[in-house]
Amino acid sequence: MKRIIAPSFLASNFLKLAEEVAMVNKSEAEWLHLDIMDGRFVPNISFGLPVVEQIASATDKFCDVHLMIVEPEKYLADFKKAGADQISVHIEACPHLHRVLEQIHDLGMKAGIAVNPHTPIDFLRDIIQHADVVNLMSVNPGFGGQKFIEHTYIKIKELREVIDQKGLNTLIQIDGGVIQGNARTLFDTGANVLVAGSSVFKAPDPEKAIADLLGA
Ligand code: DX5
Ligand code: ZN
């Protein structure tokens, strides 16, 4: 099964962004994870289009943009222009999720559904076939450096069952509190993509931290 590490730039040193991107470019990470927060869907504001554009221009790796914003449909084309290869939108922020996923695909990007910790996997059953990835949030979105919510393991199993039953190859992404100590169990439980912010960028050797998470 596919295993990918996606370092989350929320935890990076913004004064040394070029070096941080260069580190990820050299590393075994296949994706870059870029967290966009609007202070409305989540109680925090992160960074926006100009930063995504500069990061994307400095890498050939896959740019995974996680929109934690209300009305994400308003900004899809802008993020595509900035260099996004994939956009995930929150199921809780999209009353017309099917339409939004189609819009992302029509713009030539991969489409993801992000799911808050309290949102049941059952809510994905009639829409999952339209997504390339499901981002299961393993913390409440809005901040880096939080503690992993253990109930996520049950959700991974449920989601894996849905994906297998339907014969899909949707990726399962885990976002929040991923560390060396849980990476292996997450992969073994059925996750494909691990987002890691603090455990990569705050590590003494971030490139090694990425390799260790992948080989965990
Ligand atoms: C949280 C973000 C995450 C965050 C993960 O709202 O979606 O991507 O950056 O950070 P860590 O790995 O530090 O929990
Ligand atoms: Zn994220």
Side-chain angles (χ1 to χ4, degrees):
M1 214 171 347
K2 214 167 173 35
R3 292 184 170 195
I4 293 170
I5 303 298
S8 166
F9 277 74
L10 189 63
S12 70
N13 182 341
F14 296 129
L15 287 176
K16 295 186 175 169
L17 213 37
E19 287 166 44
E20 302 282 50
V21 179
M23 179 280 293
V24 174
N25 285 343
K26 275 202 298 156
S27 78
E28 293 180 63
E30 279 183 50
W31 292 11
L32 281 70
H33 185 83
L34 304 172
D35 288 304
I36 312 302
M37 304 174 183
D38 65 352
R40 294 186 63 205
F41 180 69
V42 289
N44 195 10
I45 297 173
S46 57
F47 50 82
L49 286 158
V51 176
V52 171
E53 192 173 354
Q54 299 222 332
I55 292 175
S57 74
T59 188
D60 292 327
K61 298 208 179 199
F62 187 83
C63 289
D64 170 35
V65 173
H66 177 193
L67 293 185
M68 286 161 274
I69 66 175
V70 298
E71 300 180 317
E73 63 279 0
K74 286 188 179 168
Y75 303 97
L76 303 175
D78 291 334
F79 280 102
K80 165 70 182 174
K81 224 168 120 200
D85 296 301
Q86 168 167 283
I87 292 182
S88 291
V89 293
H90 269 264
I91 188 168
E92 304 85 4
C94 295
H96 305 288
L97 182 58
H98 178 272
R99 182 185 295 147
V100 180
L101 296 176
E102 275 192 335
Q103 286 168 340
I104 296 171
H105 281 144
D106 288 348
L107 286 163
M109 294 177 283
K110 301 271 191 194
I113 306 172
V115 178
N116 279 344
H118 72 276
T119 300
I121 295 300
D122 274 347
F123 285 15
L124 293 166
R125 285 183 194 276
D126 294 311
I127 189 68
I128 188 165
Q129 62 274 26
H130 300 288
D132 302 288
V133 60
V134 172
N135 178 353
L136 286 184
M137 292 301 306
S138 39
V139 296
N140 288 295
F143 302 91
Q146 301 181 81
K147 193 173 167 295
F148 180 84
I149 297 172
E150 296 288 324
H151 181 72
T152 309
Y153 291 117
I154 293 171
K155 292 180 81 175
I156 297 174
K157 284 186 198 148
E158 285 178 16
L159 180 57
R160 177 56 61 203
E161 258 180 52
V162 174
I163 290 169
D164 290 349
Q165 266 169 19
K166 290 181 180 273
L168 301 169
N169 43 30
T170 323
L171 297 173
I172 301 181
Q173 179 177 41
I174 304 301
D175 189 3
V178 172
I179 54 172
Q180 187 62 35
N182 57 23
R184 191 201 179 111
T185 317
L186 287 166
F187 278 137
D188 288 349
T189 310
N192 304 107
V193 185
L194 301 185
V195 175
S198 316
S199 65
V200 165
F201 287 102
K202 311 284 189 218
D205 184 345
E207 199 182 328
K208 183 174 179 297
I210 292 169
D212 289 347
L213 287 169
L214 194 60

